Amino acid sequence: MEYLALIRTFNSLPLVEEVIGCLRMQTCPPTAIMAVDSGSDPGQAEALRALVDVWLDVSGQAFNYSRSINLGVQAATLENVLIISSHVMLREQDVMERFFAELASKGDRVGSVISNKSQAWLVRQVNNASFTGVNGLTNSCSFAPTALLRELPFREEVFASEDQEWTKRFLAIKAGSLTVVETGQIDYLNKHFSYKKKYNEEMALASFVDTRRKGLPAILTWLLKSIWSICFRGDKAKAGHRFRVAMGLCKARFKKPDINSKYY
């Protein structure tokens, strides 16, 4: 299986060097690795450029997750693309080989591998009937034909959860399915936990994927969760986050959120 591994980067060393090393050690390794860089410091950029086969500098424009992916896909010369995060580590050498076997057995061309430490190797197929709005393609490690990603590019106005919005369109337009593998054989090592990121994801899901998420029952649920967090857990940070989500969803019922994509 020939494929390009596309990694979005921004001052991602030293972790991304390990990510690249794990990719090259796969029994089904990528034919080439591309870094789509959003303006890393000169020293990091020089070091990273030496580690990859294709270097694409997109720092001359405002950062946007979807645009970065789309530009990388446009520059791809291979038939398939693996979009993989700069902090996702494939711990076993046969992860991609097993994943490709799962795609073939399901008859799918699109899929994701998700880190889940409670699962050895759980395979599920997602179609229009089973898509919940949050269980689709995951751009931390996702695979699709290059031609398909060019036909259905990621929407730049979707400021977060662009993978779920893409899944919704893919399932609706192509009437197909995708394969998702949940496994403890990969690690998701982004140490930058951010409630702002989670807030943006909720706003994007409600605005672009499932409008029921900004319905009154959903807003009430967030408010009750906020009360629970402060009264029974004493967690002011989580309570504040949940309250902000509830208020943001209220506003989103009347006006589209004014949020820009951000690298976390």
Side-chain angles (χ1 to χ4, degrees):
M1 173 77 75
E2 289 195 345
Y3 66 99
L4 170 76
L6 188 162
I7 309 174
R8 294 174 295 186
T9 58
F10 176 70
N11 289 335
S12 302
L13 290 170
L15 184 59
V16 72
E17 184 172 4
E18 294 185 61
V19 172
I20 292 170
C22 288
L23 281 167
R24 296 202 188 278
M25 289 294 291
Q26 289 294 300
T27 52
C28 285
T31 310
I33 298 177
M34 172 192 289
V36 181
D37 192 77
S38 298
S40 293
D41 296 337
Q44 288 229 10
E46 182 180 0
L48 181 55
R49 191 181 289 112
L51 295 173
V52 298
D53 304 294
V54 184
W55 173 263
L56 186 61
D57 184 350
V58 297
S59 60
Q61 50 194 301
F63 175 77
N64 182 282
Y65 270 119
S66 295
R67 184 184 304 126
S68 296
I69 297 174
N70 292 339
L71 289 172
V73 170
Q74 287 301 320
T77 58
L78 294 169
E79 187 175 351
N80 300 289
V81 174
L82 174 73
I83 301 167
I84 185 166
S85 168
S86 60
H87 41 254
V88 166
M89 203 84 67
L90 306 181
R91 290 300 187 187
E92 300 295 332
Q93 295 183 7
D94 63 347
V95 171
M96 293 308 301
E97 181 178 0
R98 293 183 65 188
F99 173 63
F100 291 146
E102 299 292 359
L103 285 179
S105 69
K106 300 291 186 184
D108 286 335
R109 301 181 299 156
V110 177
S112 286
V113 185
I114 300 173
S115 177
N116 184 342
K117 294 306 178 184
S118 68
Q119 298 292 340
W121 190 267
L122 173 68
V123 183
R124 52 183 171 84
Q125 195 170 36
V126 180
N127 54 31
N128 250 328
S130 60
F131 179 53
T132 65
V134 294
N135 65 341
L137 198 75
T138 304
N139 274 346
S140 55
C141 187
S142 61
F143 181 87
T146 306
L148 176 62
L149 292 173
R150 288 174 178 166
E151 179 186 353
L152 295 176
F154 291 92
R155 291 173 57 193
E156 294 185 14
E157 65 269 31
V158 181
F159 47 82
S161 298
E162 74 286 342
D163 40 18
Q164 303 305 315
E165 192 280 332
W166 188 92
T167 298
K168 179 181 179 180
R169 282 187 292 128
F170 165 71
L171 295 176
I173 295 172
K174 296 300 181 180
S177 59
L178 56 88
T179 296
V180 177
V181 174
E182 298 184 28
T183 177
Q185 295 182 14
I186 75 170
D187 288 335
Y188 183 79
L189 300 175
N190 188 353
K191 62 182 180 180
H192 301 294
F193 176 82
S194 169
Y195 276 126
K196 178 61 176 175
K197 180 176 185 291
K198 288 186 171 294
Y199 174 88
N200 289 354
E201 289 172 348
E202 289 297 333
M203 294 304 108
L205 288 170
S207 299
F208 300 106
V209 181
D210 186 354
T211 56
R212 292 174 298 180
R213 299 179 76 94
K214 58 182 176 181
L216 294 179
I219 293 171
L220 178 59
T221 298
W222 279 105
L223 288 173
L224 291 174
K225 286 182 176 180
S226 177
I227 294 171
W228 171 267
S229 296
I230 192 66
C231 293
F232 296 95
R233 297 295 183 183
D235 191 334
K236 293 182 179 179
K238 181 172 286 187
H241 163 67
R242 289 172 165 175
F243 181 78
R244 283 190 293 273
V245 170
M247 294 301 98
L249 292 174
C250 283
K251 295 177 183 178
R253 290 171 60 87
F254 306 100
K255 182 180 179 181
K256 181 181 175 181
D258 183 17
I259 300 174
N260 293 321
S261 187
K262 182 174 173 58
Y263 200 105
Y264 288 94

